[in-house]
Amino acid sequence: MTVTIIHPNRRILLLGAAAAGVVGLLPRHLATASAQTGGHAPTETMRGGANNYIPNAPLVENLGTGFIASGLVRKAGSGEPLRNVRIQIWAATDRGGEREPSNRGSVMTDANGRYRLDISPIVPQFGQPHIHIAYDDPGFATLFLRPVLNSRHDKSMAVDFVLAPAAGNAGKSS
């Protein structure tokens, strides 16, 4: 058996520090949670996602037409699609701001974990065209998202996310 002894020098120390820095820059879910959850780490709440949130938005068929918000909702760990979970969506549209009741509503995910909601065209608020998406039912941890569109002229946005079971509810199935 041959043993190689590496004597630290400035180059090795700098390379090690750079590697540690790169790992520190990785999103937490890539650096740690993916190994713990089988590759499907929970989506983290976004800053500003809860702005103008109002609990219990009613289930709606649509919030107008001209823009489509859609996506896939999965369970952390297994990645299985979550059916029959309530997703709330609100946005500033050409009908008014985020607080306008007709710009807010909830939809349920289908048997494949997908949601879809037609909305009036999105207009910039706080300088950016964006929508808000929330999960706030008791089965999984609350999540608030604030994805920004590339342009106010975008006609759709797909936002997939992964929900973590609520504390004390890790065994809940979809």
Side-chain angles (χ1 to χ4, degrees), residues 67-92:
F67 184 86
I68 299 170
S70 64
L72 174 63
V73 182
R74 295 182 179 274
K75 182 178 182 180
S78 68
E80 69 185 273
L82 291 172
R83 67 180 188 277
N84 204 34
V85 296
R86 184 183 181 119
I87 305 302
Q88 184 178 150
I89 300 172
W90 69 100

Side-chain angles (χ1 to χ4, degrees), residues 29 40-46 76 142-145 160-164:
H29 68 274
H40 289 90
T43 303
E44 294 184 26
T45 289
M46 297 174 91
T142 299
L143 176 67
F144 293 105
L145 302 174
D160 299 343
F161 53 92
V162 178
L163 296 176

Side-chain angles (χ1 to χ4, degrees), residues 15-167:
L15 287 172
V22 167
V23 169
L25 293 175
L26 289 174
R28 272 183 274 153
H29 68 274
L30 289 178
T32 58
S34 62
Q36 299 168 358
T37 61
H40 289 90
T43 303
E44 294 184 26
T45 289
M46 297 174 91
R47 183 175 172 197
N51 290 353
N52 296 313
Y53 170 72
I54 298 173
N56 304 317
L59 289 171
V60 295
E61 291 293 320
N62 66 65
L63 298 174
T65 60
F67 184 86
I68 299 170
S70 64
L72 174 63
V73 182
R74 295 182 179 274
K75 182 178 182 180
S78 68
E80 69 185 273
L82 291 172
R83 67 180 188 277
N84 204 34
V85 296
R86 184 183 181 119
I87 305 302
Q88 184 178 150
I89 300 172
W90 69 100
T93 72
D94 60 5
R95 297 185 310 180
E98 293 175 357
R99 293 182 180 159
E100 170 62 40
S102 67
N103 284 337
R104 167 186 318 278
S106 295
V107 295
M108 303 299 287
T109 58
D110 66 15
N112 298 313
R114 297 202 171 277
Y115 69 92
R116 176 189 163 115
L117 185 63
D118 291 325
I119 306 171
S120 292
I122 306 300
V123 299
Q125 184 164 330
F126 305 113
Q128 299 174 316
H130 63 276
I131 61 175
H132 292 265
I133 300 173
Y135 172 83
D136 66 344
D137 280 353
F140 293 88
T142 299
L143 176 67
F144 293 105
L145 302 174
R146 185 188 178 271
V148 176
L149 284 64
N150 291 321
S151 162
R152 73 169 290 168
H153 304 292
D154 288 354
K155 301 291 183 200
S156 66
M157 176 177 264
V159 181
D160 299 343
F161 53 92
V162 178
L163 296 176

Side-chain angles (χ1 to χ4, degrees), residues 4-22:
T4 304
I5 298 174
I6 299 174
H7 297 284
N9 60 31
R10 187 175 6 174
R11 189 165 121 199
I12 290 173
L13 291 174
L14 287 173
L15 287 172
V22 167

